[in-house]
């Protein structure tokens, strides 16, 4: 069967990732097909989170390439690199809401950082989003007042 390529494919080529001089994963070659769900399986401590940190551009690989639609993520000019990174959404293992901000402030943070929308507009948008996941009434709660599942939905 002919291989299908989408401009949304993510390709990993001879990827080596790790921390300092410590290699966690080496020579990873894979295609994560655009529009599909890819599952990464592995033992605890095997390097799944480490791999994802690199794929979304949070850390620079020790070696090899991460290609988005054929373009090397780490060879992109800064502006384009930031534009690609803004398309990523990440649900962290531990929720990763900022403890000093309310749920609504956490959810509104990307809009606050990346747009010039007025506060009231951001608040209204955030409340609409929280409504969708059944958390509107918890908008002004702090993360430590929410359950694990509620934090993930936030
Ligand atoms: N920030 C870090 N600095 C140094 N080493 C790290 C760091 N984060 C993870 N490691 C090491 O990298 C290896 C892979 O960890 P990683 O978090 O990628 O595993 P994982 O596959 O996501 O595990 P789990 O299923 O438990 O979430 C582990 O040996 C861990 O000690
Ligand atoms: Mg992990």
């Amino acid at each position: 069967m002919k291989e299908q390529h989408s401009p949304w494919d993510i390709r990993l080529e001879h990827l080596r990732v790790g921390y300092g001089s410590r290699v966690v994963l080496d020579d990873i070659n894979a295609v994560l097909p655009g529009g599909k769900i890819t599952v990464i399986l592995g033992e605890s401590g095997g390097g799944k989170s480490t791999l994802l940190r690199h794929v979304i551009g949070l850390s620079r690989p020790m070696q090899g390439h991460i290609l988005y639609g054929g373009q090397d993520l780490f060879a992109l000019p800064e502006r384009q690199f930031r534009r690609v990174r803004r398309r990523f959404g990440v649900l962290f293992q531990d929720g990763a809401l900022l403890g000093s901000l309310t749920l609504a402030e956490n959810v509104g943070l990307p809009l606050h950082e990346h747009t010039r929308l007025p506060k009231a507009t951001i608040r209204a948008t955030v409340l609409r989003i929280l409504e969708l996941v059944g958390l509107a009434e918890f908008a002004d709660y702090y993360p430590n007042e929410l359950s694990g599942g509620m934090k993930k939905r936030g």
Side-chain angles (χ1 to χ4, degrees), residues 19 48-60 66 74 92:
Y19 299 92
K48 303 177 294 294
S49 295
T50 302
L51 181 64
L52 286 176
R53 284 182 64 84
H54 287 78
V55 170
I56 64 172
L58 291 180
S59 305
R60 183 175 280 273
I66 298 158
F74 283 91
F92 287 92

Side-chain angles (χ1 to χ4, degrees), residues 44-132:
S44 179
K48 303 177 294 294
S49 295
T50 302
L51 181 64
L52 286 176
R53 284 182 64 84
H54 287 78
V55 170
I56 64 172
L58 291 180
S59 305
R60 183 175 280 273
M62 298 164 98
Q63 205 170 291
H65 304 280
I66 298 158
L67 305 171
Y68 280 82
Q71 284 193 303
D72 188 334
L73 182 62
F74 283 91
L76 291 174
E78 182 62 27
R79 268 179 67 119
Q80 253 178 292
F81 179 64
R82 272 189 277 136
R83 199 162 58 210
V84 173
R85 289 213 321 192
R86 274 208 296 275
R87 295 211 310 254
F88 301 137
V90 178
L91 177 58
F92 287 92
Q93 250 168 318
D94 52 7
L97 295 175
L98 298 174
S100 61
L101 300 183
T102 64
L103 178 58
E105 287 165 348
N106 268 284
V107 174
L109 200 57
L111 288 176
H112 188 73
E113 291 292 314
H114 293 302
T115 71
R116 289 170 197 275
L117 292 172
K119 272 193 178 146
T121 310
I122 293 181
R123 171 88 184 173
T125 308
V126 165
L127 286 178
R128 220 164 42 236
I129 295 169
L130 289 177
E131 189 81 53
L132 289 176

